[in-house]
């Protein structure tokens, strides 16, 4: 990604303008750019700073959707999971799940076994097996309990959600697309149709109108609030989901473990991620503003009751968490009392010159992008030409952590001096990665680097503030920051982390 682009550097006209730099917008951008369309993506804050950095990090079929009768969504998701495992190896990785079955609790073994057989059939391969209590405990000692009958072993996948967005954007840019962060957009129309967007860069005090043949509203939970958008968006029911992140020494897990919450029977799970363990989640109406959701005291209590039910011997307290995070699901209101029964399908609508898309899942972003572009082809026939449904990223990359996260740039990162290659604190991140990111990934604020380009803010103790002295020089050199700017960025980061990510007791 080149340096941050100013509004003046943009062209007067694009074929397609995508508003929203989450997974939905990034997926559309990537697929449009590879088809040779002149595409601009505009994100009001940082790329992936909305829901797409606050998911459960699973690339999954969604057993829960199967239970709700959403067969099509499950099948589509299972197929996409398999494809992402192949095409984004190192970034989307297999995640073995254990579902402990206890004598005195739901779910029962047979019901789960039937569900998982259907799941396997959808993926075209058997990946679920019954383990005896002894086998389950041999794999995951923290499951030891007198009531344990055994466990179902099955496979899904996990990812770094924000990094997946970034890679899609980088792939789209490599194919000629332009993506800008910290610029908000609203559609501009005449009496007939949407003709383009009005862009506002508040930090640099710039405003500019840009014309487009077609505008796409991919603003997720904001989709029905986009200023000046023609009517047509479905009513959204923003549903908050929150997570706690524990150090793996506090919650030592080699597999993902899933079980039902004792209060409401909702599936909850804990899984190893970026050297730590993510545990969640909740599913509640979110009545607050959308930009800075945070976990509430009631959600912390709910999650801790669930954790104690499965791992009573660990005596974990909420204050033992490294961090917390919350995100808002862009769910279309379907009128169910129970939020968890609302469908997770995406919804698309159109007005002259504009297509809107919202809802859906991280896992199925490619399917969503292709559906949008099929509709867009009525206005932009060149979308039917060019390189269509090819592999997601450039091929030939090492299918390891760095290759998956940085694509071809992994070679550059590996070639940096050895002293930059040791991992920072208890995290999987090398200083070399951070330096490359600072130079090439449109970083505007320190939190872009610590919360989204890397996830140090979630998985390091105290949000990684102990690492700040190490980052001062590389950041100032790469971004041209003065000492004063560096101090301001550190203050901004500390305040933001305290407000949105500090563990409950602090
Ligand atoms: C708690 C939780 C757990 C989840 N877990 C999973 C999971 O494990 N697996 C899975 O597949 N899915 C999961 N999901 C669903 C998935 O995360 C979302 O469906 C997906 O991230 C939505 O992406 P999006 O791009 O539509 O929205 P967002 O990521 O929110 O992107 C929309 C963007 O639009 C920007 N924007 C808004 N207004 C403007 C404007 N005027 N101009 C410019 N930009 C604007 C916003 O800043 C935002 O960045 C989960 C969701 C939640 C909340």
């Amino acid at each position: 990604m080149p340096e941050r682009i100013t509004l003046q550097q943009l062209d007067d006209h694009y074929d397609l303008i995508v508003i929203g730099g989450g997974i939905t917008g990034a997926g559309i951008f990537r697929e449009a750019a590879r088809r040779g369309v002149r595409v601009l993506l505009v994100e009001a804050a940082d790329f992936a700073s909305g829901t797409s950095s606050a998911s459960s990090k699973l690339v999954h079929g969604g057993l829960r959707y199967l239970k709700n009768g959403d067969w099509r969504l499950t099948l589509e998701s299972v197929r996409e999971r398999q494809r992402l495992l192949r095409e984004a190896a190192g970034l989307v990785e297999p995640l073995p799940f254990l579902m402990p079955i206890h004598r005195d609790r739901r779910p029962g073994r047979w019901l789960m076994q039937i569900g998982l057989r259907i799941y396997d059939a959808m993926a075209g391969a058997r990946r679920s097996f019954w383990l005896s209590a002894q086998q389950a405990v041999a794999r995951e000692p923290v499951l030891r309990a007198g009531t344990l009958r055994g466990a179902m072993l099955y496979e899904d996948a996990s990812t770094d959600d924000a990094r997946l967005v970034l890679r899609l954007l980088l792939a789209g840019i490599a194919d000629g697309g332009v993506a800008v962060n910290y610029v908000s957009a609203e559609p501009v129309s005449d009496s007939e149709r949407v003709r383009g967007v009005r862009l506002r860069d508040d930090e640099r005090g710039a405003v500019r109108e840009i014309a487009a043949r077609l505008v796409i509203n991919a603003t997720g939970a904001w989709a029905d609030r986009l200023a000046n958008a023609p009517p047509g968006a479905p009513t959204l029911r923003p549903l908050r989901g929150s997570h706690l992140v524990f150090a793996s020494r506090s919650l030592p897990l080699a597999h993902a473990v899933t079980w039902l919450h004792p209060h409401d029977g909702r599936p909850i799970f804990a899984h190893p991620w970026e050297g730590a363990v993510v545990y969640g989640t909740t599913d509640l109406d979110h009545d607050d503003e959308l930009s800075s959701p945070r976990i509430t005291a009631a959600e912390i209590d709910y999650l801790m009751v669930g954790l104690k039910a499965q791992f009573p011997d660990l005596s974990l307290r909420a204050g033992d968490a490294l961090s917390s995070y919350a995100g808002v699901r862009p769910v279309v209101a379907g009128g169910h009392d129970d939020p968890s029964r609302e469908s997770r399908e995406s919804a698309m609508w159109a007005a002259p010159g504009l297509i809107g898309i919202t809802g859906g899942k991280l896992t199925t972003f490619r399917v969503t992008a292709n559906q949008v572009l099929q509709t867009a082809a009525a206005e932009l026939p060149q979308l039917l030409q060019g390189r269509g449904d090819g592999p997601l990223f450039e091929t030939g990359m090492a299918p390891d952590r760095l290759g998956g996260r940085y694509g071809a740039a992994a070679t550059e990162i590996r070639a940096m001096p050895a002293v930059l290659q040791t991992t920072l604190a208890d995290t999987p991140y090398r200083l070399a990665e951070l330096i490359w990111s600072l130079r090439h990934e449109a970083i505007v604020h320190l939190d872009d680097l610590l919360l989204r380009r890397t996830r140090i803010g979630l998985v390091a103790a105290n949000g990684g503030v102990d690492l700040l002295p190490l980052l001062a020089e590389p950041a100032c050199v790469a971004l041209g920051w003065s000492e004063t700017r560096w101090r301001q960025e550190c203050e901004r980061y500390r305040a933001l982390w305290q407000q949105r990510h500090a563990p409950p007791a602090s």
Side-chain angles (χ1 to χ4, degrees), residues 2-281:
E3 270 179 33
R4 191 175 170 220
I5 294 162
T6 63
L7 295 192
Q8 288 66 37
Q9 287 169 303
L10 298 175
D11 292 341
D12 293 331
H13 182 274
Y14 289 85
D15 294 328
L16 190 67
I17 296 183
V18 180
I19 309 180
I23 191 79
T24 309
I28 296 167
F29 175 77
R30 195 275 166 277
E31 293 299 329
R34 83 151 99 223
R35 287 167 172 82
V37 162
R38 295 182 58 249
V39 55
L40 166 69
L41 178 141
V42 192
E43 163 54 51
D46 186 29
F47 301 124
S49 59
T51 311
S52 300
S53 52
S55 79
S56 300
K57 329 296 183 200
L58 299 176
V59 172
H60 62 154
L63 274 176
R64 194 165 70 75
Y65 310 131
L66 202 57
K67 184 171 153 254
N68 287 354
D70 277 340
W71 290 77
R72 202 188 54 73
L73 180 60
T74 313
L75 179 60
E76 196 171 83
S77 308
V78 167
R79 287 190 178 150
E80 280 306 300
R81 178 193 71 193
Q82 294 310 106
R83 192 169 162 166
L84 286 167
L85 281 166
R86 284 194 307 274
E87 294 183 5
L91 178 55
V92 177
E93 293 179 289
L95 178 67
F97 266 76
L98 285 175
M99 179 180 287
I101 305 290
H102 290 268
R103 260 191 282 287
D104 51 351
R105 284 181 232 167
R106 285 188 312 132
R109 169 178 172 181
W110 299 113
L111 187 65
M112 278 324 302
Q113 218 153 359
I114 292 167
L116 286 168
R117 284 292 158 82
I118 298 171
Y119 212 49
D120 283 350
M122 287 178 168
R126 173 129 189 239
R127 289 196 178 79
S128 66
F129 302 92
W130 170 252
L131 301 181
S132 68
Q134 209 180 17
Q135 288 169 321
V137 170
R139 281 172 171 263
E140 207 62 90
V142 286
L143 291 182
R144 188 179 306 282
T147 53
L148 189 71
R149 285 183 60 204
M152 290 303 308
L153 171 70
Y154 67 98
E155 203 171 280
D156 253 318
S158 69
T159 191
D160 174 341
D161 46 7
R163 200 72 229 167
L164 182 58
V165 172
L166 250 289
R167 273 221 71 195
L168 290 171
L169 292 174
L170 290 167
I173 289 167
D175 279 345
V178 179
V180 277
N181 52 354
Y182 291 98
V183 169
S184 66
E186 57 182 61
V188 175
S189 358
D190 58 21
S191 55
E192 283 172 22
R193 54 182 290 129
V194 170
R195 299 274 176 201
V197 294
R198 183 172 299 111
L199 300 181
R200 238 187 38 227
D201 178 344
D202 285 335
E203 297 195 4
R204 293 188 285 200
V207 180
R208 183 160 174 209
E209 273 188 26
I210 306 241
R213 288 169 67 190
L214 191 66
V215 173
I216 295 183
N217 171 359
T219 57
W222 289 261
D224 58 355
R225 305 179 183 193
L226 188 69
N228 274 340
T235 306
L236 292 185
R237 180 175 182 186
L239 295 175
R240 188 179 60 253
S242 299
H243 294 81
L244 293 169
V245 181
F246 288 93
S248 44
R249 61 179 164 275
S250 310
L251 182 50
L253 291 179
H255 304 68
V257 175
T258 181
W259 67 102
L260 303 183
H261 194 283
H263 285 176
D264 56 9
R266 282 185 59 251
I268 47 179
F269 44 82
H271 65 92
W273 182 74
E274 296 296 90
V277 172
V278 166
Y279 166 55
T281 176

Side-chain angles (χ1 to χ4, degrees), residues 264-304:
D264 56 9
R266 282 185 59 251
I268 47 179
F269 44 82
H271 65 92
W273 182 74
E274 296 296 90
V277 172
V278 166
Y279 166 55
T281 176
T282 56
D283 201 8
L284 297 162
D285 282 301
H286 180 73
D287 301 322
D288 224 340
E289 51 88 36
L290 297 174
S291 300
S292 47
R294 56 161 305 152
I295 193 167
T296 62
E299 287 173 286
I300 294 166
D301 290 347
Y302 173 90
L303 288 176
M304 292 315 294

Side-chain angles (χ1 to χ4, degrees), residues 307-331:
L307 202 58
K308 204 169 170 137
Q310 188 55 238
F311 306 111
D313 295 343
L314 290 180
S315 311
L316 277 171
R317 291 163 309 131
D320 295 330
L322 289 169
S323 68
S324 65
Y325 66 88
V328 182
R329 299 176 184 88
V331 170

